[in-house]
Amino acid sequence: MENCNNVVRISVAGSGKTQWVIDQLCRPEIASGKTVAISFTRHAQHELSERLIQERTKGAIPRVIGWYKFLLDEIVRPYFPLLYANRRVNNLHYVRGVRNLQWKTGINRYIDSNNDAYSDTLSLLANRLLQKSGGKAIKRLEQIYDHIYIDEFQDMRGNDLDIFEALFKSTIAISLVGDPRQSVISTSHSDTKKKKYHGSQIVNWLEEEKDNGLCTLDYDSKTYRYCQQIADFADLIFPAGAFEASISQTDYPESDMGIFFIDDEEKTQYCDQHGNVTFLRYDKKTDPIDHVETLNFGESKGITRDRILIQTTGPIRNLLLKEKELPETSACGFYVAVTRARYSVALVVPSPDSFMRKIKSTSRFAGFPFHVWHPSKTDSSVCKNKNQNS
């Protein structure tokens, strides 16, 4: 029988994930002192805290903390001596990128010379301590919390999932919310456990947890951010059937909406004509556009803009032309970039008219209503995909 105390909400971009968490935390039956909301990034924590202050008008505000802080305060610091007697952990040593752990053994794998815990092995350490405590760590958490809400679950990796499972099996009501397709950052780049569930594949692990009766899954495919053309295109970034179809709830009056191909030489003119465009690129190897907001794909997560201009990469063009699937991280980054826009997404490609004609007739993109943008035209600047189904 499924444990209905544990709920996982899998939501598309623009569905109002953070608002759902806030609505749950504002329920009158929620006791602020026995409830905690957890998110990975500082930006997400700040946004959640600020909106809670505005919307929870009665009672104290539940705590909002980071995932690392939760692991440090509630598991690692209290139980670290079970593994290393007479030693303690101070703060967090944040690790950027992948740390070489080949020659790191024993305590040096987990803490530095200042007794600060490395972030990339923090979940592994916490997982070991949960097991070493023989259930005491979980019982302690059960005394402290009635509800734990975890936002942006897609950022979690292998040992995090083991911790989730331990929490699922506790008496605490656990709620997870996130979008597997927006997995562009990670709690650890060194954690290879459960590698087949990394990135968007975390949904498969969640399905297994549901089948084992540990949680219920709630799929929310409605987006309130972008038009249906963008929703349809974003769905095509991942293989058919990987996720439920996204449904736009918008009713924008704009006529210049959809997915456009644009020549590299026309980027500046496109930005000048529309006035409110954000330029997104895979990394800093692509030059920014003068006087135009320019961000990398990963940096754009969390923003909403009217129009997005994307510098495509070779792999993205191969996806469109040859249906060659993107690597997991690249697919998630491209999905994030596309779903920042309300009205339109312009993709920079070589020779746009020729590019559109080269899309294979057997490709899942063949029937999509792409357009080509030309600066010298106004209403007639929209040229439909010749492969579009009638």
Side-chain angles (χ1 to χ4, degrees):
M1 183 175 179
E2 290 183 337
N3 180 358
C4 293
N5 286 330
N6 301 323
V7 178
V8 179
R9 189 175 179 85
I10 299 173
S11 306
V12 300
S15 62
K17 292 182 289 295
T18 302
Q19 187 60 50
W20 181 84
V21 175
I22 291 170
D23 290 343
Q24 299 301 305
L25 293 174
C26 288
R27 290 184 297 157
E29 66 268 25
I30 292 294
S32 61
K34 302 206 74 176
T35 300
V36 65
I38 300 170
S39 194
F40 180 40
T41 66
R42 291 180 180 177
H43 173 78
Q45 294 162 40
H46 177 74
E47 180 185 7
L48 190 55
S49 297
E50 290 296 308
R51 289 170 64 175
L52 266 175
I53 291 171
Q54 297 173 8
E55 299 192 33
R56 185 170 169 109
T57 57
K58 295 182 179 180
I61 304 297
R63 278 202 312 153
V64 177
I65 63 175
W67 179 243
Y68 292 146
K69 181 173 178 57
F70 175 77
L71 296 181
L72 273 175
D73 290 353
E74 307 296 6
I75 302 174
V76 172
R77 287 194 180 109
Y79 295 98
F80 191 67
L82 292 179
L83 285 177
Y84 303 103
N86 302 318
R87 297 297 296 268
R88 63 187 180 89
V89 173
N90 292 325
N91 299 305
L92 182 74
H93 179 146
Y94 182 72
V95 177
R96 296 183 182 277
V98 179
R99 184 164 58 108
N100 186 356
L101 299 175
Q102 184 176 1
W103 308 112
K104 297 286 186 179
T105 60
I107 196 171
N108 294 324
R109 193 177 185 87
Y110 304 112
I111 64 174
D112 63 15
S113 58
N114 296 316
N115 292 325
D116 293 337
Y118 292 113
S119 62
D120 61 344
T121 51
L122 185 63
S123 296
L124 170 61
L125 176 59
N127 195 15
R128 287 190 63 192
L129 291 171
L130 284 179
Q131 298 171 36
K132 191 72 173 178
S133 73
K136 292 180 181 179
I138 289 295
K139 287 180 180 178
R140 176 179 176 273
L141 289 171
E142 290 174 337
Q143 293 173 348
I144 299 172
Y145 300 113
D146 290 334
H147 297 84
I148 296 178
Y149 291 87
I150 301 176
D151 192 13
E152 308 288 7
F153 68 71
Q154 73 275 355
D155 299 333
M156 309 301 177
R157 290 299 178 263
N159 281 280
D160 298 321
L161 304 190
D162 281 350
I163 296 170
F164 283 174
E165 184 167 299
L167 292 172
F168 282 162
K169 292 177 179 178
S170 73
T171 61
I172 308 167
I174 307 298
S175 296
L176 308 182
V177 61
D179 179 1
R181 290 182 285 187
Q182 294 191 60
S183 180
V184 293
I185 56 177
S186 168
T187 54
S188 173
H189 294 288
S190 304
D191 193 337
T192 58
K193 191 172 188 178
K194 289 182 167 62
K195 194 169 184 179
K196 67 178 182 178
Y197 300 124
H198 284 192
S200 68
Q201 302 305 308
I202 193 174
V203 71
N204 296 325
W205 179 81
L206 293 168
E207 288 282 358
E208 292 177 10
E209 294 295 283
K210 182 200 72 170
D211 292 342
N212 291 331
L214 294 177
C215 66
T216 60
L217 297 189
D218 177 16
Y219 287 88
D220 184 5
S221 58
K222 296 178 181 178
T223 179
Y224 300 88
R225 177 184 297 156
Y226 40 84
C227 63
Q228 189 61 51
Q229 296 98 312
I230 293 177
D232 292 341
F233 180 72
D235 286 345
L236 292 174
I237 293 172
F238 293 85
F243 296 91
E244 292 187 3
S246 304
I247 304 170
S248 175
Q249 301 296 296
T250 65
D251 187 23
Y252 295 134
E254 296 285 324
S255 58
D256 192 10
M257 294 194 298
I259 308 296
F260 295 79
F261 290 134
I262 180 174
D263 191 88
D264 192 76
E265 299 297 323
E266 298 172 346
K267 291 187 300 190
T268 301
Q269 294 160 289
Y270 179 85
C271 294
D272 290 342
Q273 180 167 319
H274 289 96
N276 186 18
V277 177
T278 294
F279 179 49
L280 301 183
R281 58 191 180 180
Y282 179 76
D283 57 28
K284 292 183 179 180
K285 292 179 182 179
T286 299
D287 292 333
I289 301 175
D290 290 341
H291 310 299
V292 173
E293 180 184 31
T294 301
L295 299 169
N296 294 349
F297 288 175
E299 294 173 331
S300 71
K301 189 172 181 293
I303 71 169
T304 299
R305 298 291 185 266
D306 288 348
R307 303 187 187 279
I308 292 293
L309 176 64
I310 296 176
Q311 187 77 39
T312 63
T313 62
I316 288 175
R317 293 191 290 274
N318 283 335
L319 170 70
L320 297 172
L321 292 177
K322 304 175 184 177
E323 207 171 358
K324 183 177 180 180
E325 304 299 343
L326 289 169
E328 181 67 28
T329 302
S330 298
C332 290
F334 188 38
Y335 175 86
V336 166
V338 167
T339 56
R340 300 310 92 194
R342 290 189 181 95
Y343 309 136
S344 65
V345 176
L347 304 174
V348 180
V349 298
S351 306
D353 293 285
S354 174
F355 184 89
M356 191 159 63
R357 288 192 296 270
K358 291 178 182 177
I359 296 177
K360 292 174 62 175
S361 60
T362 56
S363 165
R364 64 179 182 264
F365 295 96
F368 189 84
F370 292 110
H371 308 292
V372 173
W373 187 87
H374 294 293
S376 59
K377 305 176 183 179
T378 53
D379 292 341
S380 59
S381 65
V382 174
C383 304
K384 290 188 176 180
N385 182 357
K386 298 295 190 296
N387 290 324
Q388 182 181 349
N389 296 331
S390 58

